[in-house]
Amino acid sequence: DAGVTQSPTHLIKTRGQQVTLRCSPKSGHDTVSWYQQALGQGPQFIFQYYEEEERQRGNFPDRFSGHQFPNYSSELNVNALLLGDSALYLCASSFRDRSYGYTFGSGTRLTVV
Amino acid sequence: AQSVSQHNHHVILSEAASLELGCNYSYGGTVNLFWYVQYPGQHLQLLLKYFSGDPLVKGIKGFEAEFIKSKFSFNLRKPSVQWSDTAEYFCAVISNFGNEKLTFGTGTRLTIIP
């Protein structure tokens, strides 16, 4: 059990569509980060949310947006999907001070056709 | 900008062999360092982490890593591997101040032959 829950597990979308991915953090964690993991690569940081605000953003275009809710859960939205957006999207939760590291979910496998 | 290099892309060992996976990072300031493991079809799991103090860090499943600041390295070791250690291993770094971006290496695929 990862402790971090992501849904859905798999998703197939058509180029140009929009997608929303969801994440419930590990109990007690208040900070959520999103990562994109392309095949054969390490995860790439998309952004982090804390206190319902985006705290830091990686090198991803504005088509990638997110939200954090009062219960600390989070959504990742991707607009105008491109073929290159096909990847495993990982959610990681932590305490604000990351004192115990990051706990990752199993991810959502997004395929854009 | 911080970056991580894992020079071994695929390592193949026999059971009971000793393991060392290399990890080098580039960042001049204080860092936190992590090793994660991803078993086939499973989520990333934290093996061990270094924040401060003793540079020799012991993690789960018999793994350990040594932080050598002068070499910007954080190599992962295990004295005797098992078939169940077959997985992908990722080294990651995050700078200590004002940065929330965890930077991962490209990973090392470890295959253990029974």
Side-chain angles (χ1 to χ4, degrees), chain B residues 3-7 22-26 35 71-75 91 93:
Chain B
S3 65
V4 178
S5 296
Q6 292 182 247
H7 306 294
C23 172
N24 288 90
Y25 66 95
S26 64
W35 274 98
K71 295 185 178 180
F72 297 90
S73 70
F74 190 56
N75 293 353
C91 180
V93 63

Side-chain angles (χ1 to χ4, degrees), chain A residues 1-2 33 35 37 40-45 48 55-56 59 88 90 96-106, chain B residues 32 34 36 38 41-46 49 51 88 90 94-107:
Chain A
D1 180 17
S33 305
Y35 290 80
Q37 186 178 15
Q41 300 295 318
Q44 300 288 318
F45 177 79
Q48 184 185 80
R55 297 294 171 170
Q56 187 170 350
N59 295 325
L88 181 67
L90 298 169
R96 179 59 179 155
D97 67 357
R98 62 185 187 240
S99 52
Y100 293 94
Y102 300 85
T103 301
F104 282 81
S106 299
Chain B
N32 299 153
F34 306 83
Y36 281 89
Q38 191 169 34
Q42 295 190 26
H43 61 277
L44 282 166
Q45 297 177 38
L46 180 65
K49 62 185 186 293
F51 277 47
E88 188 96 18
F90 292 94
I94 187 167
S95 62
N96 218 6
F97 298 107
N99 177 36
E100 308 300 336
K101 174 184 173 184
L102 187 61
T103 299
F104 284 83
T106 52

